[in-house]
Amino acid sequence: MNVQKNDIVTVTIEDIENDGLGIGRTNEGFTLFVKDAVMGDTVQAKILKLKKNYGFAKLEKVVTPSPFRVQPPCPFHRQCGGCQLQALSYEKQLMYKQAKIRNNLIRIGGFSPDCIDACMESIVGMENPLRYRNKAQYPVGTDREGRIVAGFYAGRTHTIVPNTDCLLETEENREILQIILDHLRRHHISAYDENTGKGLVRHILIRKGFTSREIMVCLILNHRPVKKLTQASFHKPGAPVDFSFLEKQNELLQKLSQVEGMTSVSVNLNTERTNVIMGKEVYTIWGKPAISDTIHVRDMTKPGYPFTGKELTFSISPLSFYQVNPVQTEKLYSLALEFAGLTGRETVWDLYCGIGTISLFLAQRAGKVYGVEVIPQAVSDARINAERNGIKNAEFFLGKAGEPLETAGHPDVIVVDPPRKGCDEICLNTIWHMQPDKIVYVSCDSATLARDLKILCGGGYEIKRIRGVDQFGMTVHVETVVQLYHQKSTEYFHVDYEPKNGDYLDKMPATATYREIKQWVYDNYNGMKVSSLYVAQIKQKYGIIERECYNKRKLENARVPQCPSDKKAAIEAALKHFKMI
Ligand code: SAH
């Protein structure tokens, strides 16, 4: 290797990796990752860090711009950690995201390129990839001159880049932030300091209902509940709470209330020294405790995805999860609904349901929908949302996705929409055991999606359709919706087993769950860890998985790891122990 740290080298950028760094090669063939460079560029870059076979470099100068390079619309695009792809044309961003999904499915999922290409449809892009976010969380801090500022964190740091007009956010934010910052400056109210844990104002949250045009502002303060506050109940509207420590509260509220669309102003208390933005307590100090927004159902089979005339209205409080790009969310949910292929009779489980948005979409065309969500506030929001929309065939449970639903019937379709880390093991195990005819997987991380699909396809599911939806223009993130069918092949011995209420997982006669098998191996084989995939492979070998795996051969071709002999022996011992073989 004949490159040194701090060298300035010429690099030809060939592609962009999953986190947005340009991947290029020097003339000598050494690989460098260059932030802010796009495929097709030839750039000069300064080497910052060297590893054995590659290095990281900083873009110094674009020598020959790529045909895909555009002028980034935001002046802060290089400092701010929010966007990674602003210098890439939007059309090429979509191609990059399509390729990212495909590559992850092949590389991590182990699927053959042919299999993926046969199922993959063209990504659903945005009409306008700027000003699309309905939610902004601006950190508040102090600059070098001691002035209070709000902005965004610089990439991979907690240094605030002052900016009150992020181009992904709505235009009203600028005015709102200016009012709040002026107020804080005028009354010498302090910003929170992460290093010392002192100071009052941590973040400013702004949300907007794109259809309702209602705006919500929530100030996140580093303050313990005061006596008066502890008497105010959670999300209580009505009598204003007096935040004497906020000083001249009414002066601030009077100004904020003049912003067009202002509907709700609240305070959230968070004294924890963590990166988690919101605390648990919210007090409405002006207006309503929540804003509302409407999501329309679209026909995803027609060009331009026209509205079908059906719509749902949701209540959004400061703590509720709500998709950040409402226009693309309509397309995402409509696609999930289309992939579910409902006729009006089906029982559907919507796991990781949040405030019940997808569940209520599905309920319009299903017999019954059961939503499962782990956050109590979201579950109660989901119930309120069902009532608000007059939907009677949706029921919501508080719990972990995949935990037995005692009163829910056997699912015909299971929809999952997990966070970035993907489905929990218990969720995947339950899906395997329940064997719904169809699974719709909505994912915000194609790497964990690929990992989970590999497991599901190892259990008899076949991917039928894959479609990306760009919810996050200018960033590397992309949503994916996948439709899986159970392969009910007649070639295989088929036990027609219909579980009754709660009659699965731990309660299945003479079988052990994947978790139990893995635990037994761990306990009896010196802490040996075996994956669900390996357990499945051995179960298949002994014909325990009654509906054979359609993707098995395909997966073998695609070099899915095969269970090594020591783990095979351990799993067989476990199966014997549980009298399964
Ligand atoms: N489908 C919803 C929410 C998706 S976000 C929507 O589109 O709005 C993922 C949700 O999963 C979050 O609401 C999160 O609280 C919830 N969640 C995370 N882990 C969970 C688990 N183990 N079981 C159930 N829900 C979980």
Side-chain angles (χ1 to χ4, degrees):
M1 174 173 66
N2 46 8
V3 283
Q4 304 290 330
K5 192 174 164 188
N6 292 329
D7 278 0
I8 297 198
V9 289
T10 301
V11 193
T12 312
I13 306 295
E14 291 164 6
D15 207 343
I16 296 183
E17 53 83 76
N18 277 355
D19 292 326
L21 302 179
I23 314 171
R25 266 178 233 283
T26 62
N27 292 339
E28 293 79 34
F30 187 70
T31 301
L32 284 173
F33 292 94
V34 189
K35 184 176 161 312
D36 305 315
V38 306
M39 62 280 263
D41 277 345
T42 302
V43 301
Q44 276 184 355
K46 182 174 176 178
I47 297 181
L48 301 177
K49 199 168 164 186
L50 281 175
K51 299 268 184 188
K52 195 158 166 246
N53 297 320
Y54 60 91
F56 294 90
K58 178 170 171 268
L59 174 65
E60 291 286 315
K61 192 173 146 201
V62 178
V63 182
T64 315
S66 154
F68 312 117
R69 177 171 273 280
V70 293
Q71 181 61 36
C74 170
F76 303 105
H77 75 280
R78 286 193 67 180
Q79 290 149 278
C80 172
C83 293
Q84 301 82 27
L85 301 179
Q86 277 202 20
L88 191 63
S89 71
Y90 185 61
E91 210 182 8
K92 193 70 182 172
Q93 287 183 29
L94 290 178
M95 290 162 78
Y96 160 81
K97 292 184 188 194
Q98 178 94 351
K100 178 175 177 171
I101 299 169
R102 182 179 181 274
N103 292 344
N104 278 338
L105 290 172
I106 294 169
R107 199 170 47 81
I108 302 170
F111 298 99
S112 71
D114 287 350
C115 162
I116 297 306
D117 293 340
C119 306
M120 197 143 175
E121 299 166 26
S122 62
I123 186 166
V124 181
M126 295 164 60
E127 281 122 55
N128 178 9
L130 294 173
R131 303 268 183 220
Y132 60 81
R133 284 181 62 97
N134 58 10
K135 173 182 172 183
Q137 300 178 117
Y138 292 84
V140 178
T142 313
D143 69 8
R144 284 210 190 97
E145 283 75 48
R147 260 167 76 86
I148 200 160
V149 291
F152 287 91
Y153 290 129
R156 296 172 201 274
T157 74
H158 270 204
T159 310
I160 297 174
V161 179
N163 176 16
T164 54
D165 189 22
C166 167
L167 297 184
L168 303 192
E169 317 280 357
T170 60
E171 286 178 67
E172 292 88 345
N173 291 1
R174 199 174 34 213
E175 182 188 358
I176 294 167
L177 289 170
Q178 211 47 57
I179 292 173
I180 299 171
L181 289 175
D182 283 350
H183 184 84
L184 300 180
R185 287 170 190 157
R186 194 169 325 118
H187 297 291
H188 307 290
I189 298 169
S190 57
Y192 177 68
D193 179 341
E194 275 186 338
N195 298 319
T196 61
K198 298 214 165 69
L200 186 65
V201 186
R202 293 176 74 128
H203 272 85
I204 300 166
L205 164 76
I206 307 175
R207 285 180 129 172
K208 181 177 178 186
F210 272 34
T211 317
S212 66
R213 314 199 74 74
E214 292 177 346
I215 294 177
M216 160 190 288
V217 171
C218 180
L219 301 173
I220 294 113
L221 305 180
N222 173 38
H223 199 285
R224 290 185 201 290
V226 290
K227 204 161 164 240
K228 257 191 211 156
L229 291 179
T230 52
Q231 288 161 4
S233 65
F234 198 72
H235 281 186
K236 188 177 176 184
V241 182
D242 183 19
F243 279 79
S244 48
F245 51 84
L246 202 55
E247 297 207 36
K248 311 272 190 256
Q249 175 183 313
N250 287 341
E251 184 189 311
L252 174 65
L253 292 177
Q254 204 265 336
K255 292 217 170 97
L256 284 176
S257 66
Q258 287 178 2
V259 176
E260 202 183 328
M262 189 59 65
T263 304
S264 167
V265 183
S266 57
V267 162
N268 173 275
L269 302 183
N270 184 3
T271 51
E272 302 289 318
R273 295 194 62 178
T274 80
N275 286 343
V276 178
I277 295 176
M278 307 284 285
K280 292 200 174 74
E281 294 177 53
V282 181
Y283 301 94
T284 306
I285 57 173
W286 183 86
K288 298 182 191 168
I291 55 170
S292 65
D293 199 24
T294 300
I295 301 185
H296 306 90
V297 183
R298 290 173 179 253
D299 184 345
M300 297 304 291
T301 61
K302 299 215 171 92
Y305 319 121
F307 294 153
T308 60
K310 291 222 162 103
E311 59 182 42
L312 290 163
T313 299
F314 298 96
S315 174
I316 309 156
S317 52
L319 290 175
S320 337
F321 176 88
Y322 187 67
Q323 297 279 355
V324 295
N325 180 338
V327 176
Q328 290 302 95
T329 295
E330 292 187 337
K331 301 173 191 168
L332 181 75
Y333 290 174
S334 300
L335 208 54
L337 182 62
E338 188 195 319
F339 279 17
L342 303 173
T343 64
R345 287 189 301 275
E346 292 83 355
T347 297
V348 186
W349 290 9
D350 177 22
L351 307 181
Y352 306 91
C353 72
I355 59 167
T357 37
I358 295 182
S359 321
L360 299 184
F361 253 61
L362 298 164
Q364 301 177 69
R365 292 211 201 132
K368 181 89 192 191
V369 178
Y370 297 95
V372 181
E373 164 60 47
V374 82
I375 294 181
Q377 184 64 35
V379 174
S380 72
D381 283 347
R383 291 179 183 140
I384 294 167
N385 286 328
E387 207 175 306
R388 180 174 187 156
N389 289 286
I391 291 180
K392 301 211 164 31
N393 58 339
E395 217 176 298
F396 295 94
F397 293 91
L398 176 64
K400 285 197 179 150
E403 277 178 357
L405 292 177
E406 299 292 343
T407 54
H410 178 76
D412 300 299
V413 182
I414 292 184
V415 178
V416 293
D417 181 13
R420 282 197 194 153
K421 70 180 165 81
C423 287
D424 303 283
E425 206 175 322
I426 178 169
C427 175
L428 293 173
N429 283 343
T430 300
I431 295 176
W432 269 37
H433 281 274
M434 296 311 283
Q435 300 205 339
D437 295 337
K438 223 177 285 171
I439 301 169
V440 179
Y441 195 134
V442 182
S443 159
C444 54
D445 184 334
S446 51
T448 55
L449 168 73
R451 179 203 66 199
D452 292 349
L453 289 182
K454 178 172 169 177
I455 295 171
L456 289 168
C457 290
Y461 284 91
E462 179 195 1
I463 299 173
K464 280 274 159 83
R465 296 179 67 182
I466 308 166
R467 194 159 190 196
V469 178
D470 186 21
Q471 296 256 82
F472 315 104
M474 306 294 155
T475 80
V476 290
H477 303 293
V478 60
E479 292 271 333
T480 314
V481 191
V482 180
Q483 183 194 52
L484 296 131
Y485 270 75
H486 200 286
Q487 188 64 21
K488 288 182 180 148
S489 169
T490 46
E491 288 167 45
Y492 302 105
F493 174 58
H494 172 163
V495 177
D496 220 350
Y497 165 68
E498 281 292 313
K500 298 176 189 69
N501 288 348
D503 184 10
Y504 62 100
L505 274 182
D506 299 6
K507 296 179 181 120
M508 284 244 288
T511 63
T513 62
Y514 283 81
R515 184 192 275 185
E516 283 167 345
I517 294 167
K518 287 156 80 168
Q519 189 64 45
W520 191 90
V521 170
Y522 185 84
D523 293 342
N524 292 280
Y525 278 75
N526 245 339
M528 179 190 280
K529 290 188 176 163
V530 292
S531 67
S532 294
L533 184 74
Y534 290 160
V535 176
Q537 285 169 357
I538 307 305
K539 282 174 89 172
Q540 276 165 8
K541 177 169 172 253
Y542 286 94
I544 302 170
I545 296 173
E546 52 278 15
R547 296 171 184 178
E548 246 303 6
C549 161
Y550 163 82
N551 291 64
K552 193 174 139 208
R553 212 171 318 119
K554 225 181 272 175
L555 282 170
E556 276 166 0
N557 288 345
R559 296 195 304 277
V560 161
Q562 295 298 309
C563 187
S565 57
D566 56 333
K567 297 198 173 185
K568 177 170 169 275
I571 296 167
E572 282 171 349
L575 297 180
K576 276 185 196 140
H577 169 80
F578 289 112
K579 302 196 171 34
M580 293 165 78
I581 55 174

